[in-house]
Amino acid sequence: MTNETNSSDWTLGGDLPIKRLGFGAMRLPASRRGGPPNDRDISLEVLRRAAGLGVNHIDTAAFYFHGDLHANDLIREGLKPYADDLVIATKVGPKRRPEDPMPIGEMEPGELRAEVERNLTELGLDRLDLVYLRVGGMEPAQEPIGDRFAVLARLRDEGLIRHLGVSNIKVEHLKEAMDIAPVAAVQNWFDITKPQDAEMLEICEREGIGYAPYFPLGGFGLPDDERVNAIAERHGATVAQVLLAGLLELSPVMLAIPGTGSPAHLEENMGAAGLRLTERDLAELRQR
Ligand SMILES: NC(=O)c1ccc[n+]([C@@H]2O[C@H](COP(=O)([O-])OP(=O)(O)OC[C@H]3O[C@@H](n4cnc5c(N)ncnc54)[C@H](OP(=O)(O)O)[C@@H]3O)[C@@H](O)[C@H]2O)c1
């Protein structure tokens, strides 16, 4: 374990201090996949309010868009000039058609540079703080990722990227990546009601690698889970707050990035930082 253990802060890649409760930008263009686009001004308000509430870790991707509403454009427009302490993480890897965010496969190694450059342009940056190689479909990747990760490692050596991450992976992929270049963060599907990835978390804790769970609020609607509902009731908190506080308590490497296009949900989610769960709550949450 090479990082802080019991504060609400984390140092990404050993040199970028961030708060562990951050923000995911995927829901800025549309709150639901296939749903209507969000209101542009409200999405900008969400971003600015997030920054005002102290969020300094935002997770995005060039493939987070709906029509002409792009998460990266919203971030640039809403937050530039960026605060000195803002860390923007992005992802490359999924292949898609220009007008459709739905992935149609995976990029070849030779296609990754252009996607990194696209993120640099859209975000208005000279260097990206954290770039995840996102692999696989709904399930984690099955095949090796070394060729693609090595491309990102070269872009890091060139100075286009500060830190590297891997997303939607198995332990063998993390080990493969770590043999090529330092890994600052893992981003996998995980929520506190069905914790898996125990071995991955152990490695992340041992190696000082951040773990940013995606779909931390269930991804497709809040889970209706008796344990979570009972804990929320005991604390006078909301289900979303319990899910997020539970994640942050589960491991010191957890970097929560709940996504929302709603200012009210943002305020609610940020309230999780002040929710202190008891040992009993945590034991209940850990029960399978
Ligand atoms: N690496 C990957 O493959 C991958 C995949 C998916 C996501 N991600 C990243 O992970 C982040 C988090 O995942 P996510 O945004 O998909 O899922 P999530 O945070 O689990 O849930 C977001 C959904 O919950 C709703 N929501 C948010 N706060 C709520 C609240 N307090 N009460 C009720 N509903 C609430 C949102 O709608 P409203 O807008 O109405 O609040 C949205 O529909 C994303 O934003 C993205 O940055 C990465």
Side-chain angles (χ1 to χ4, degrees):
M1 184 70 224
T2 56
N3 221 304
E4 295 161 47
T5 49
N6 57 2
S7 81
S8 63
D9 294 315
W10 179 253
T11 307
L12 187 76
D15 64 0
L16 291 178
I18 52 172
K19 300 219 173 73
R20 290 203 297 132
L21 185 51
F23 177 76
M26 191 173 89
R27 308 295 180 156
L28 290 175
S31 286
R32 280 181 298 109
R33 179 163 274 186
N38 286 341
D39 181 285
R40 197 166 190 286
D41 290 338
I42 294 179
S43 292
L44 287 170
E45 183 191 339
V46 168
L47 273 170
R48 291 180 180 131
R49 250 199 233 189
L53 289 166
V55 165
N56 62 4
H57 172 214
I58 296 181
D59 183 79
T60 185
F63 47 87
Y64 292 165
F65 65 92
H66 190 302
D68 60 2
L69 216 50
H70 290 244
N72 281 355
D73 292 344
L74 290 164
I75 291 170
R76 188 191 66 248
E77 188 180 332
L79 300 181
K80 216 165 183 258
Y82 298 123
D84 288 344
D85 67 344
L86 178 65
V87 169
I88 303 177
T90 189
K91 283 162 238 98
V92 296
K95 198 180 176 78
R96 60 185 164 72
R97 295 184 193 91
E99 68 290 354
D100 186 355
M102 279 303 279
I104 53 167
E106 306 214 36
M107 286 186 170
E108 296 295 325
E111 295 174 295
L112 293 170
R113 172 185 282 271
E115 187 71 353
V116 165
E117 287 170 348
R118 179 191 175 118
N119 276 277
L120 284 166
T121 305
E122 289 181 353
L123 291 164
L125 289 167
D126 297 327
R127 181 167 65 160
L128 298 165
D129 293 323
L130 170 62
V131 177
Y132 292 93
L133 176 65
R134 203 287 185 190
V135 291
M138 288 298 276
E139 296 296 321
Q142 301 299 322
E143 66 290 336
I145 63 168
D147 287 358
R148 284 170 287 167
F149 193 75
V151 171
L152 296 189
R154 283 198 291 278
L155 296 177
R156 175 180 175 267
D157 293 344
E158 281 182 35
L160 300 188
I161 299 174
R162 187 152 173 172
H163 293 299
L164 299 174
V166 265
S167 176
N168 209 30
I169 52 145
K170 300 195 236 178
V171 163
E172 69 222 43
H173 299 119
L174 176 58
K175 291 180 176 163
E176 195 188 353
M178 288 168 73
D179 281 343
I180 295 168
V183 173
V186 167
Q187 186 172 126
N188 271 3
W189 188 346
F190 183 100
D191 80 63
I192 191 73
T193 64
K194 38 181 180 318
Q196 65 281 36
D197 250 1
E199 189 185 354
M200 187 83 73
L201 269 171
E202 257 176 54
I203 300 175
C204 288
E205 288 173 4
R206 194 173 63 236
E207 302 290 336
I209 296 172
Y211 184 101
Y214 71 79
F215 295 152
L217 301 177
F220 305 91
L222 294 178
D224 186 12
D225 183 297
E226 274 176 29
R227 295 167 300 172
V228 180
N229 295 345
I231 295 166
E233 202 168 319
R234 283 207 292 274
H235 286 274
T238 67
V239 164
Q241 289 170 336
V242 171
L243 294 172
L244 296 171
L247 276 179
L248 296 174
E249 294 276 3
L250 183 71
S251 168
V253 302
M254 281 288 176
L255 308 176
I257 47 167
T260 182
S262 147
H265 284 165
L266 172 79
E267 301 265 355
E268 177 186 334
N269 297 345
M270 294 306 294
L275 175 60
R276 293 283 163 267
L277 298 180
T278 63
E279 282 304 321
R280 174 186 164 198
D281 301 329
L282 295 172
E284 285 177 11
L285 281 174
R286 284 184 193 122
Q287 269 168 23
R288 304 280 174 108

